[in-house]
Amino acid sequence: MATSKQDVVITGMGVVSPIGLSVPELRESLLQNRSGIRLWQSPQMSRTLPAGLIERDFSDQFSKLELAYMDRCSQIAMLAAGQALKDGGIEQFEGYAQRAGLYYGSVTGGVKSEHDWVRQFHVDKVGSSKPYTIMASMLNAAPALISIKHRILGPVITNSNACSSSGAAIGEACLAIREGRLDVALVGGAEAALIPTFMGLWFGLRALAEVDPVDVSRSCRPFSSRRTGLVLGEGSVFMLIESRAHAEKRGAACYGRLSGYGIASDGFHIGSPSPEGQTAAIRAALADARLRPEQVSYFNAHATATRGGDPIETDSIRAAFGEAADSLPVSSTKAIHGHLLGGTSAMELAICALAIQGSFLPATAHLDEIDPECKLHHIANEPELDTPVEHAVSLSAGFGGTNVALAVSKEHDLLTKFPVSEASTN
Amino acid sequence: MNQHDTESILASLQNFLQERFDIPVESATLDASLRELGLDSMLVLDVMLETEDRLGVKLNDLSMPRDATVGDVVKMIQRNLGA
């Protein structure tokens, strides 16, 4: 395919996740199919739950003056963003003025700070919060802090449409670069909501997986007939994206080209998906990337392992890909990292980029018994290595009905980037 | 020594700044700029609210000069105390 100066390429990535605190660690976990699903418990809930926990306190990475404004969500976002920018080779954007942007997705932002304050108000009878708690609680706290640190002076936009939040953010940034409004953008998402009140909200929906009685790390089983529900996770993923012209000018290597963006809404139900919206989003991404269905080498499914959601997505994939669906390699990596909510689209796009860069097909772990209602060409249990991936597509479907599909393609003209272990949060 | 004299108020401020924000006691001198210590207006407000709690007083007049120093905070507290 002919290249364009306005093609959008991924030149930096950063990850703080249950399966890796850096891009190389994430890559290694995918290759080893190493699960980050761990036991979550709280004295405030009688029930234990599986969760994509990051067993690490990051407050030692910041001064107390900084921490006043930083929920855990902002901490992991700041760290992942810092990795992506270091990896991409641009850490200060002042010289770009309004031609550098930050597009971010999250569902709950500084929810722990907010809920801690609510408890102080109702239980401790404290009448007024700390002056900075309102800032720490904001949905856009993380991108605000990142933009201040790295002097990103163009659009700094927070997008929240449930599980496709960071997907839409990334897609819209891609359009802004393609249309020539921006040279470069930091894009991604973050979520750190594994707190009792939020877990209780999800538990109320009866959608959460049970703890696997033998091995908690096997509790999330997308597409399996033995799936029991979704597993919430925490984490943040950011990418530096820029126009091909800009990357060429500065001699930057890239992980791949962000080749397609499709967004479509169900207009159906606030909490139940419908295949039409998902199918439309996938078709739109393929059309945007000028791809025929049979050209796609890998599909990273949203598949959260709920009883109702996985078969609907199966139908959507089949409708969008037609006959090509029978041979389309599909997996849901949520089996090992859980559902990062606002961060999940960014996480799964990064995984697609790594699949392209490393020529492998990530697997759906714990998929011994495929649900007959989820019949697809599954990459089950073990990743397929030494398999060239030319084009990969990732789908995210959010509560509220907003569906986002993103396509990433191998880049043949710019230098290929390999993850280096230098940029890590350890 | 009464608890509202300059030295006592300064010591209380220094202790709080150390506890809450890791600002070394030796940095928080009377002529140290709040801005240079890393304290923006919201963090300064936190200091005021904590001071009210610690000294058991109500600070009604929070006005301070631009680029205030730790000494200006002490003076503001004393002004409110009518010292």
Side-chain angles (χ1 to χ4, degrees):
Chain A
M1 196 179 104
T3 63
S4 158
K5 294 285 183 196
Q6 293 308 117
D7 285 345
V8 178
V9 292
I10 302 166
T11 52
M13 295 205 290
V15 175
V16 174
S17 81
I19 54 168
L21 301 182
S22 68
V23 174
E25 284 181 20
L26 168 61
R27 183 177 183 275
E28 199 55 30
S29 291
L30 293 167
L31 291 170
Q32 303 295 326
N33 226 5
R34 190 187 298 145
S35 174
I37 307 303
R38 302 175 174 101
L39 191 68
W40 180 93
Q41 50 197 335
S42 162
Q44 290 156 286
M45 280 178 78
S46 56
R47 186 191 159 114
T48 57
L49 292 164
L53 275 172
I54 305 172
E55 292 179 311
R56 166 82 203 266
D57 174 15
F58 296 101
S59 57
D60 61 350
Q61 303 285 304
F62 303 94
S63 73
K64 282 190 178 174
L65 288 162
E66 293 173 303
L67 285 171
Y69 295 101
M70 297 184 87
D71 188 271
R72 179 172 170 85
C73 181
S74 292
Q75 294 173 28
I76 60 174
M78 185 78 97
L79 293 169
Q83 284 180 30
L85 296 178
K86 187 174 183 188
D87 184 36
I90 308 175
E91 296 185 64
Q92 288 298 320
F93 294 85
E94 193 149 15
Y96 289 89
Q98 281 67 54
R99 294 192 61 78
L102 196 173
Y103 288 64
Y104 167 82
S106 183
V107 175
T108 62
V111 68
K112 182 176 186 309
S113 300
E114 183 180 355
H115 287 203
D116 283 350
W117 155 242
V118 171
R119 184 189 53 73
Q120 287 167 21
F121 184 84
H122 286 294
V123 180
D124 304 337
K125 305 298 179 191
V126 176
S128 82
S129 74
K130 296 287 180 203
Y132 37 76
T133 303
I134 190 167
M135 310 292 165
S137 304
M138 296 190 311
L139 188 55
N140 65 323
L145 293 167
I146 293 165
S147 74
I148 293 162
K149 180 173 182 183
H150 298 283
R151 301 288 293 156
I152 299 172
L153 306 180
V156 175
I157 293 176
T158 296
N159 189 68
S160 193
N161 39 263
C163 312
S164 53
S165 295
S166 55
I170 293 167
E172 295 299 320
C174 180
L175 294 183
I177 293 173
R178 276 201 212 151
E179 290 164 7
R181 289 181 278 132
L182 298 178
D183 294 322
V184 60
L186 178 64
V187 297
E191 208 72 63
L194 303 179
I195 56 173
T197 42
F198 192 70
M199 295 297 250
L201 273 178
W202 278 89
F203 187 60
L205 187 64
R206 304 295 187 272
L208 295 181
E210 296 164 6
V211 176
D212 184 283
V214 177
D215 180 357
V216 65
S217 75
R218 295 177 59 86
S219 300
C220 186
R221 294 187 288 268
F223 297 127
S224 167
S225 53
R226 294 177 55 239
R227 68 188 183 279
T228 62
L230 69 80
V231 172
L232 293 171
E234 59 180 345
S236 178
V237 174
F238 274 88
M239 298 179 196
L240 183 66
I241 63 174
E242 58 194 288
S243 67
R244 177 188 299 281
H246 190 264
E248 280 177 351
K249 193 173 161 190
R250 68 188 192 96
C254 76
Y255 290 100
R257 177 164 43 88
L258 197 45
S259 52
Y261 166 46
I263 182 165
S265 294
D266 293 343
F268 173 67
H269 186 274
I270 194 165
S272 298
S274 98
E276 289 80 10
Q278 295 181 9
T279 303
I282 298 168
R283 283 183 176 146
L286 294 180
D288 189 42
R290 297 179 191 167
L291 290 175
R292 296 186 306 278
E294 64 272 20
Q295 288 178 287
V296 177
S297 332
Y298 170 62
F299 188 91
N300 187 297
H302 183 61
T304 61
T306 58
R307 190 48 62 186
D310 291 8
I312 286 177
E313 187 176 7
T314 301
D315 292 346
S316 307
I317 294 168
R318 290 205 162 272
F321 283 88
E323 287 178 6
D326 287 332
S327 55
L328 173 70
V330 174
S331 70
S332 170
T333 48
K334 285 189 178 76
I336 56 171
H337 54 70
H339 191 345
L340 271 54
L341 299 178
T344 215
S345 302
M347 176 75 166
E348 290 158 37
L349 182 67
I351 289 169
C352 287
L354 290 175
I356 287 175
Q357 178 270 333
S359 296
F360 70 99
L361 300 174
T364 303
H366 331 308
L367 188 50
D368 299 321
E369 295 172 34
I370 297 167
D371 182 345
E373 285 191 285
C374 301
K375 195 165 174 285
L376 290 162
H377 178 46
H378 292 287
I379 307 302
N381 301 317
E382 295 293 331
E384 286 187 15
L385 307 182
D386 303 317
T387 307
V389 180
E390 191 68 27
H391 306 283
V393 173
S394 173
L395 176 69
S396 297
F399 276 170
T402 305
N403 307 288
V404 171
L406 293 165
V408 58
S409 299
K410 185 176 278 186
E411 174 55 38
H412 294 282
D413 293 294
L414 289 171
L415 290 170
T416 304
K417 185 156 196 143
F418 293 93
V420 289
S421 53
E422 192 185 324
S424 174
T425 301
N426 282 314
Chain B
M1 189 171 80
N2 113 28
Q3 66 158 348
H4 296 158
D5 66 21
T6 302
E7 277 182 25
S8 302
I9 293 171
L10 176 62
S12 172
L13 276 175
Q14 287 173 327
N15 284 340
F16 174 61
L17 293 174
Q18 166 94 54
E19 274 171 36
R20 179 71 57 91
F21 301 119
D22 276 345
I23 294 172
V25 169
E26 57 273 21
S27 303
T29 55
L30 285 172
D31 59 354
S33 148
L34 299 178
R35 184 174 46 80
E36 285 172 14
L37 292 176
L39 294 167
D40 61 26
S41 60
M42 273 166 274
L43 299 183
V44 171
L45 181 58
D46 190 31
V47 175
M48 304 301 164
L49 298 172
E50 182 70 20
T51 301
E52 286 189 337
D53 288 346
R54 289 193 176 204
L55 299 182
V57 296
K58 178 73 186 154
L59 303 175
N60 293 311
D61 174 9
L62 296 177
S63 59
M64 282 196 294
R66 226 172 233 276
D67 200 10
T69 62
V70 172
D72 291 323
V73 179
V74 173
K75 281 183 205 157
M76 184 272 292
I77 293 168
Q78 287 177 322
R79 189 171 66 240
N80 278 275
L81 292 170

